[in-house]
Amino acid sequence: MVEFLLEAFVSPLRETFFQKALIGGSIAAVVCSVVGCLVILRRMAFLGDALSHAMIAGVAAGYLFMKLLFNTEAHAPAMLIGSLIAALITVASIGFVSRFSRVKDDTAIGIMYTGVFAAGVVLVSVFRGYIHIDLMHFIMGDVLGVADSDLWVAAISAGIVLSIIVLFFRQFQLTSFDPVMAASIGMPVLLIDYTLTTCVSLVVVSAVSMVGVILVVGLLITPAASAYLLSDRLDRMMILSAIFGVTSVVGGLYLSMWLDSSGGGAIMLFCSLQFLVVLVVAPNYGLL
């Protein structure tokens, strides 16, 4: 029995695709989980979903640009830049609508991201002779089919985002909990907000091609929500969130191998089960 269990855990580690999935998924989980703490404290959970869906327009535009101008298939950098531009346009549009109209932030997000997402779908369908994008793969992802280029993009993006959070941790912390006080002592609150939104955009853009829309949104929100139930300090919450994110990836990947199921679906299932367990047993904020 012991040998059988040992083999069940060791056997997948011999596979190269499983090793890449562990590395890529863990990188995405750490950076998504850490940024996700700021996202849920600021009640911006819907923004991650908006950016990940709006990316399809940027991917399509990058693909079309490379095909029409250089007659070549789109490279990862072209689609990454296109996706980041689409995400930033979405954020700017949301900010413009919410600041200069009676429409609130959540409504503005719903309006703008569906519009940009629809523009991407129309672009893909109109230029389907030039653009070859699998929308189902884009939404669901394929964490068990991670390429080396995906790992490099994820690692570089994660390094940039985590460095920004470490360097400006105090600013992010104060503007998240008390933006009025932050403004009163001279902090550029709007600039800090846009910096965080840019970080979220970069995280989403770098991870969607590897793990898909659904898993990115899940890793942004669920590990951070689990950590939120266990800690009242932001630094400790970020550490716990990163741990929950990595354990979700590891547990979910093993679950997908044992059940022969979708990698992304198994990771999110494991992540959601973790949250439910924490919800029940958390010392101060759990149901018990």
Side-chain angles (χ1 to χ4, degrees), residues 101-121:
S101 73
R102 294 181 63 190
V103 174
K104 301 299 182 183
D105 284 352
D106 56 344
T107 307
I109 290 173
I111 294 169
M112 299 314 301
Y113 105 75
T114 51
V116 177
F117 179 63
V121 173

Side-chain angles (χ1 to χ4, degrees), residues 236-250:
R236 193 176 301 158
M237 178 182 169
M238 286 181 169
I239 294 171
L240 286 172
S241 180
I243 293 172
F244 281 129
V246 172
T247 54
S248 296
V249 169
V250 175

Side-chain angles (χ1 to χ4, degrees), residues 26-175:
S26 296
I27 292 172
V30 168
V31 68
C32 283
S33 301
V34 170
V35 173
C37 293
L38 296 171
V39 167
I40 68 167
L41 286 174
R42 291 164 175 255
R43 299 178 181 176
M44 295 165 52
F46 196 25
L47 182 62
D49 189 29
L51 293 176
S52 57
H53 280 83
M55 265 185 60
I56 185 64
V59 171
Y63 208 108
L64 190 62
F65 177 82
M66 295 297 292
K67 192 69 175 178
L68 295 181
L69 267 67
F70 301 101
N71 194 29
T72 181
E73 297 296 321
H75 301 293
M79 290 190 286
L80 181 66
I81 293 170
S83 300
L84 191 56
I85 291 172
L88 294 177
I89 289 173
T90 304
V91 169
S93 303
I94 291 168
F96 177 80
V97 171
S98 62
R99 280 183 174 83
F100 295 101
S101 73
R102 294 181 63 190
V103 174
K104 301 299 182 183
D105 284 352
D106 56 344
T107 307
I109 290 173
I111 294 169
M112 299 314 301
Y113 105 75
T114 51
V116 177
F117 179 63
V121 173
V122 169
L123 198 62
V124 171
S125 60
V126 170
F127 294 97
R128 54 186 172 273
Y130 298 99
I131 301 173
H132 308 291
I133 298 175
D134 184 355
L135 291 179
M136 184 56 68
H137 173 79
F138 179 82
I139 293 172
M140 298 302 297
D142 184 14
V143 70
L144 291 172
V146 175
D148 291 343
S149 58
D150 294 327
L151 292 177
W152 280 110
V153 168
I156 293 170
S157 302
I160 293 172
V161 171
L162 293 176
S163 297
I164 291 173
I165 290 176
V166 170
L167 289 173
F168 300 102
F169 177 79
R170 302 296 296 180
Q171 288 85 347
F172 286 134
Q173 184 179 38
L174 187 55
T175 54

